[in-house]
Amino acid sequence: MFGGWLGATDRVDFGSLDRAPSSIPQAGPGSTARPEGSVASIAAKALPSVVTIKVRGADGAGTGSGFVLDKDGHIITNNHVVAGAADNGTIKIELSDGNEIDATIVGRDASYDLAVLRTSRRDLEPLTMGVSKDVVVGDQVIAVGAPLGLESTVTSGIVSALNRPVSPGGDGNTQSYINAIQTDAAINPGNSGGPLLNMQGQVIGVNTAIARIPGATDTQSGNIGVGFSIPSDQVVRTAEQLIKTGSAQHPVIGVVLDRQFTGDGVKVLERRTADSGAPVEAGGPADKAGIKPGDVIVEFDGKKVTDADDLVVAIRSKNVGDTVPIKVRRGSETIDVKLTLAGKSGS
């Protein structure tokens, strides 16, 4: 046996053995440069502009993601990432090089789940904002952020669907309403606020939520291939308003919806209750268009509506001042109206 050939004190000069070259193919030294437009190339350019956000407030500490919005040192992220620090909390921004800087909240909007932060740095490189209305299903995308605190994480996938009505929860009693881009790029807790990029390296969305398997708890949530991003067109509008005034304008139609209604369509409240205002705001868009208490909205901008939250999401995806066709059912009659969306300041 082989074990009996050599004693404890035997010596073998392996250098004197005849060693033939290995026949196993091996790559030689090469460049780490990658082709323009590849995931690796886009990630290398984007990563220095993506940040990890560390928040500490009365309810504890947490992390999220964000990215450089402009040359003035503004950072965009989700409202739910920084809401815990809104009252006497602290926000630290960790850059891709590991350095940390302080940040303060310029403005935040719970309904759109967006917030803008300010830093003192003027040498940070912003990402280019893309045009989300030009995105189509099947487009390749890249998500960048800090899932589970793992900074500078890159995943890729495609746009799975557009115009998904998503209400992922908000800040306190304020619900978020998002007309979202759906993607199968891996998004996990901590990715919130990070960019969703197209293959030109432009931001087409801000990652904000993930779907959960029914019955799963918060501690069980994780990527199942269904993530949602706020479209960049909405992000740009809201960010500009937050920077300018500290709050954002929401388009509204001026009605109170009956959330107990279970029939086809979305019903306008029939009469004022102790907890509501007038069912149709006097002088508001719906009032001017002839909508009355008890009317049932069945179509908004040519699309059927069956749920109150879906209608709110559809309204919030528009701009203040847009004129939109609506179909309402009044008794046995269906009426076509057009109304111009008014604006209301958010939180």
Side-chain angles (χ1 to χ4, degrees), residues 145-157:
L148 308 176
L150 302 171
E151 67 276 358
S152 301
T153 294
V154 177
T155 59
S156 66

Side-chain angles (χ1 to χ4, degrees), residues 162-244:
L162 298 170
N163 301 314
R164 288 294 198 211
V166 176
S167 302
D171 173 16
N173 295 320
T174 305
Q175 185 77 22
S176 297
Y177 296 98
I178 301 164
N179 196 38
I181 296 172
Q182 181 184 325
T183 179
D184 67 351
I187 296 174
N188 286 288
N191 268 116
S192 291
L196 188 70
L197 306 172
N198 62 18
M199 297 309 287
Q200 287 74 51
Q202 301 165 343
V203 179
I204 58 163
V206 171
N207 301 320
T208 189
I210 54 177
R212 291 195 192 99
I213 298 172
T217 65
D218 286 344
T219 57
Q220 295 172 308
S221 63
N223 174 58
I224 58 172
V226 184
F228 302 103
S229 299
I230 306 165
S232 58
D233 295 349
Q234 181 65 66
V235 174
V236 170
R237 287 197 299 268
T238 303
E240 288 176 343
Q241 292 173 358
L242 292 176
I243 291 170
K244 187 175 181 179

